[in-house]
């Protein structure tokens, strides 16, 4: 980044500082990961200059011969990764992918049944502060108080009473897998569309370590930057391009089309302008990486690390929502430790350990305070940490949380964090 340093040392300096922060923090935010240098190089390319509204072979601009090939490669690799018939790699983010889902399957005022935000759901699944909750009539299901797992009887009861137009699955803070078969049976019974948002678990699903939603859902949306470890972005997929038997029509022509056509137009021109071809190239690179056998090894390690971290926390008397984990994250209810999520997050940040405060089911605190923290293994597993390292991290976290006000303890732990990070180098190419 020599040129940037010469021309704009202020921005360069801040990127350098952020690189340093990423290199020397223990990054445990469950939605984050470290993209490879190849992914970052593709994102930093001249493809950012290109307007390419439309799809490969059907663009509204000239000069698309190379971006067409790039986008086709991204689509083909994504299809191979998920055994999908159709994908759209253009959504700028997870939220944008979800906007296209709503535009396709719902009309303003239609009813949605989704997972409660405070039980692990996402803002775009009907929260009153999000377009989804503003535009549609959102209702929620949640987890059982005792089990911490989604209560399928509650889903069925609510679905029967409400007759929602769409049921959403998917979460940002849920540690168990989903039973798509049962969801699909409920959706079929009440005549609802079924949508899975696999933003968090896309990498684990690609590695076939979690159940596959594609055979059961009308549509699947995702981000590409979480467990999937690509550039920041979104994507839409269809397991099979089901015939549109319910006769949903295209907004302008009124013609009945297949889901793939309706979703393509919901992305563009429905909710977006020109696609980010530099990010799409980076997606293609990341999907290429995900098709390699060592990606499965990585995802297995992500899960194993989360399991051993969970077991260690429980050994130290921490209360895990649902009593464990089947995926890449653990959710800790700190109430028995007399702590809030806010206090824990801030104390850990001073010790160079990054986690996020998180609502736990039936939380008694506000979203700004919360009773929990969410801890994920994808990012540090990318750096090469194994089971023993994660158990050591749990010890460090416990040391900080036992004395959340002690700056001495935080400084001492920060020293250990630095030593650990030095053993697992990350990025050197900003200054190199
Ligand atoms: C992260 C996430 C999103 C949003 O993705 P952005 O890229 O931040 O817009 C949507 N749904 C779920 C379930 C998520 O976890």
């Amino acid at each position: 980044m020599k040129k940037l340093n010469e021309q704009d040392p202020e921005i360069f300096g801040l990127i350098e500082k952020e690189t340093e922060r990423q290199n020397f923090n223990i990054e445990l935010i469950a939605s984050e990961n470290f993209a490879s240098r190849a992914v970052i190089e593709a994102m930093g390319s001249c493809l950012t200059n290109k307007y390419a509204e439309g799809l490969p072979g059907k663009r509204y601009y000239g000069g698309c011969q190379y971006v067409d090939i790039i986008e086709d490669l991204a689509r083909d690799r994504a299809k191979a990764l998920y055994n999908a018939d159709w994908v759209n790699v253009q959504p700028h983010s997870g939220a944008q992918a979800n906007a296209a889902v709503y535009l396709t399957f719902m009309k303003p005022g239609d009813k949605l049944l989704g997972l409660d935000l405070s039980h692990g759901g996402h803002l775009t699944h009907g929260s009153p502060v999000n377009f989804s909750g503003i535009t549609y009539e959102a209702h929620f299901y949640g987890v059982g108080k005792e089990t911490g797992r989604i209560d399928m009887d509650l889903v069925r009861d609510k679905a029967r009473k409400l007759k929602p137009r769409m049921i959403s699955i998917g979460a940002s803070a849920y540690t168990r897998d989903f039973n798509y078969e049962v969801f699909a049976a409920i959706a079929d019974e009440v005549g609802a569309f079924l949508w899975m948002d696999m933003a968090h678990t896309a990498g684990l699903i690609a590695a076939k370590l979690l159940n596959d939603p594609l055979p059961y859902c009308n549509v699947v949306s995702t981000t590409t930057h979480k467990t999937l470890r690509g550039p920041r972005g979104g994507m839409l997929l269809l397991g099979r391009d089901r015939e549109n038997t319910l006769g949903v029509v295209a907004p302008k022509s009124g013609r009945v089309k297949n889901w793939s056509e309706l979703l393509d137009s919901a992305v563009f021109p429905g909710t977006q302008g020109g696609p980010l071809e530099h990010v799409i190239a980076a997606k293609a690179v990341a999907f290429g990486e995900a098709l390699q056998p060592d990606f499965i090894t990585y995802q297995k390690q992500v899960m194993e690390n989360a399991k051993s971290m969970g077991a260690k926390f429980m050994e130290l008397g921490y209360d895990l929502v649902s009593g464990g984990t089947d995926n890449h994250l653990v959710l800790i209810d700190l109430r028995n430790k007399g702590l809030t999520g806010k206090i824990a997050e801030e104390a850990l940040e001073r010790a160079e350990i990054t986690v996020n405060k998180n609502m736990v089911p039936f939380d008694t605190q506000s979203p700004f305070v919360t009773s929990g923290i969410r801890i994920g293994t994808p990012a540090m597993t990318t750096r090469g940490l194994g089971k023993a390292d994660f158990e050591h991290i749990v010890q460090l976290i416990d040391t900080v949380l036992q004395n959340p006000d002690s700056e001495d303890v935080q400084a001492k732990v920060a020293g250990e964090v630095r030593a650990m990070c030095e053993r697992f180098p990350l990025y050197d190419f900003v200054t190199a």
Side-chain angles (χ1 to χ4, degrees), residues 227-390:
T227 48
L228 194 48
R229 207 166 56 179
R232 185 162 296 281
M235 174 161 70
L236 290 163
L237 309 96
L238 287 173
R240 53 203 150 99
D241 190 0
R242 289 198 197 177
E243 214 186 312
N244 176 357
T245 45
L246 292 166
V248 173
V249 297
K252 190 144 175 283
S253 67
R255 280 197 302 124
V256 176
K257 295 184 172 182
N258 276 3
W259 297 125
S260 55
E261 295 171 288
L262 291 165
L263 284 161
D264 274 336
S265 10
V267 175
F268 172 84
T271 51
Q272 290 189 173
L276 313 176
E277 292 296 339
H278 56 308
V279 178
I280 289 171
K283 286 173 183 170
V285 174
F287 301 153
E289 291 174 359
L291 286 165
Q292 302 305 312
D294 62 1
F295 186 74
I296 295 174
T297 314
Y298 160 68
Q299 298 292 348
K300 280 187 178 152
Q301 193 64 53
V302 164
M303 269 172 123
E304 194 186 314
N305 287 343
K307 276 203 170 46
S308 52
M309 196 167 67
K312 189 80 192 167
F313 271 119
M314 289 197 288
E315 204 184 297
L316 295 172
Y318 288 85
D319 184 8
L320 264 60
V321 175
S322 91
T325 178
D326 291 334
N327 57 26
H328 62 296
L329 66 91
V330 297
L331 186 61
I332 301 175
D333 186 334
L334 292 165
R335 285 178 285 198
N336 70 339
K337 296 277 181 182
L339 291 167
T340 65
K342 186 172 190 285
I343 288 172
E345 180 191 294
E346 287 170 3
L348 289 166
E349 188 168 19
R350 288 190 294 268
E352 314 284 351
I353 297 174
T354 315
V355 304
N356 64 282
K357 61 176 183 275
N358 214 99
M359 300 281 275
V360 295
F362 312 100
D363 209 324
T364 37
Q365 301 281 359
S366 80
F368 296 102
V369 177
T370 80
S371 297
I373 46 172
R374 186 185 69 161
I375 306 186
T377 55
M380 293 312 281
T381 305
T382 292
R383 290 184 72 160
L385 276 70
K387 195 169 173 284
D389 305 305
F390 272 96

Side-chain angles (χ1 to χ4, degrees), residues 31 92-96 98 121-122 124-125 170-172 197-200 223 225-226 232-234 374:
S31 50
H92 301 333
S93 69
Q96 289 291 115
N98 294 353
H122 190 262
T124 55
H125 294 218
S172 301
D197 177 353
M198 61 172 185
H200 256 262
T223 61
H225 51 274
K226 298 182 183 175
R232 185 162 296 281
R374 186 185 69 161

Side-chain angles (χ1 to χ4, degrees), residues 120-178:
H122 190 262
L123 286 164
T124 55
H125 294 218
S127 158
V129 296
N130 181 263
F131 80 93
S132 56
I134 295 167
T135 315
Y136 310 101
E137 187 186 314
H139 297 264
F140 302 98
Y141 59 87
V143 301
K145 207 162 187 169
E146 296 307 314
T147 61
R149 294 170 188 247
I150 289 172
D151 179 348
M152 293 310 294
D153 294 331
L154 182 68
V155 177
R156 191 178 298 102
D157 285 353
K158 288 215 162 181
R160 280 177 179 161
K161 280 197 195 98
L162 278 165
K163 300 256 181 298
R165 178 143 170 107
M166 184 160 72
I167 298 175
S168 68
I169 321 174
S172 301
Y174 184 62
T175 54
R176 300 297 178 178
D177 205 353
F178 300 100

